[in-house]
């Protein structure tokens, strides 16, 4: 599903209303029996946007993906595009469990920060350190190597990052940009935002047995 403009909570409300008015025989949510049961894919961070949003919808009866798409198309608002609908057996992994990589594009004027090396060379290092300055004045160094699969320059003002989850946790792509540029982070890594950079999640990916990534 693609959406432009609404914040994540707004998107969730829109999707919930779509299903409520779709005529689909949905399973009730555990928190509210009047709502459909949904499972959101890994969320983007504050201030970031996503080209695609992923939602699992739990139905009481088995129906075709084509039927679900037809019903949702009838009830969706014009500002949202339904990119794909796939039928997934209940026993298989949800998007939250299936996603093993995410590709981000970070936009900004990186030349003003005078990076000491290309982002490709940085991403190839055995250790990728980021420095965090805590509120008590202590400086903490963290190796983010396990989170970074690859990085490349897409253009003068566009960098692409392929990131991996570690023990179910995802890293903020801005942390990688700060590490590459040699910038210290003030405050917790998870709360990092920066108005000088635009962060766009292109999509979530699953990995086959050969290690190749495929868009979910």
């Amino acid at each position: 599903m693609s959406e432009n403009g609404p914040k994540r909570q707004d998107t969730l409300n829109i999707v919930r209303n779509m299903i409520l008015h779709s005529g689909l025989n949905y399973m009730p949510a555990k928190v509210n029996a009047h709502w459909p049961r949904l499972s959101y894919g890994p969320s983007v961070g504050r201030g970031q946007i996503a080209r695609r949003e992923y939602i699992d919808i739990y139905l009481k009866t088995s129906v075709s993906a084509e039927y679900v798409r037809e019903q949702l198309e009838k009830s969706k608002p014009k500002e949202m595009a339904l990119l794909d609908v796939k039928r997934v057996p209940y026993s298989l992994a949800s998007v939250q469990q299936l996603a093993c990589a995410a590709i981000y594009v970070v936009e900004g004027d990186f030349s003003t920060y005078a990076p000491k090396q290309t982002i490709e060379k940085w991403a190839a290092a055995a250790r990728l350190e980021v420095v965090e300055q805590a509120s008590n004045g202590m400086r903490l160094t963290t190796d983010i190597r396990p989170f970074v699969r690859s990085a490349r320059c897409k253009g003068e003002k566009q960098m692409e990052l392929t990131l991996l989850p570690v023990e179910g946790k995802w890293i903020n792509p801005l942390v990688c940009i700060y590490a590459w540029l040699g910038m210290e982070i003030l405050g917790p890594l998870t709360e990092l935002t920066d108005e000088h950079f635009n962060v766009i999640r292109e999509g979530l990916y699953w990995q086959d047995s050969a290690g190749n990534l495929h868009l979910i």
Side-chain angles (χ1 to χ4, degrees), residues 1-4 6 8-26 34-38 40 53-57 59 65 67-85:
M1 178 173 292
S2 175
E3 52 91 7
N4 294 306
R8 170 164 285 260
Q9 186 57 46
D10 294 334
T11 303
L12 181 57
N13 291 335
I14 291 171
V15 173
R16 182 184 294 130
N17 287 329
M18 282 171 54
I19 299 168
L20 287 172
H21 295 92
S22 68
L24 293 171
N25 189 15
Y26 57 82
H34 298 290
W35 289 352
R37 183 180 174 187
L38 306 175
Y40 231 141
E53 293 282 11
Y54 301 83
I55 300 175
D56 288 315
I57 303 172
L59 302 178
Y67 175 75
V68 173
R69 179 165 194 142
E70 289 174 2
Q71 297 305 106
L72 293 178
E73 286 284 1
K74 294 176 184 178
S75 57
K76 76 173 182 61
K78 293 181 179 179
E79 66 267 22
M80 301 191 76
L82 197 57
L83 299 178
D84 197 9
V85 176

Side-chain angles (χ1 to χ4, degrees), residues 146-160:
F147 292 95
V148 181
R149 175 178 170 125
S150 63
R152 69 183 182 98
C153 176
K154 289 191 67 178
E156 184 180 352
K157 296 184 178 181
Q158 282 193 331
M159 301 297 158
E160 182 183 273

Side-chain angles (χ1 to χ4, degrees), residues 115-205:
K116 296 180 180 179
Q117 58 186 331
T118 65
I119 198 166
E120 290 89 348
K121 186 174 181 180
W122 168 82
R127 185 175 174 86
L128 304 175
E129 293 186 345
V130 64
V131 179
E132 172 190 1
Q133 189 174 107
S135 56
N136 59 6
M138 293 184 62
R139 297 170 76 250
L140 307 174
T141 301
T142 303
D143 180 18
I144 60 172
R145 169 77 272 172
F147 292 95
V148 181
R149 175 178 170 125
S150 63
R152 69 183 182 98
C153 176
K154 289 191 67 178
E156 184 180 352
K157 296 184 178 181
Q158 282 193 331
M159 301 297 158
E160 182 183 273
L161 301 167
T162 302
L163 306 181
L164 310 172
V166 177
E167 296 181 353
K169 296 181 179 180
W170 296 82
I171 193 170
N172 184 335
L174 283 179
V175 171
C176 301
I177 295 297
Y178 268 53
W180 165 50
L181 297 175
M183 299 166 59
E184 289 192 6
I185 297 176
L186 302 178
L189 303 184
T190 55
E191 298 179 9
L192 177 61
T193 60
D194 193 321
E195 62 182 9
H196 298 98
F197 301 111
N198 294 321
V199 180
I200 305 162
R201 190 178 72 188
E202 295 291 338
L204 297 172
Y205 293 75

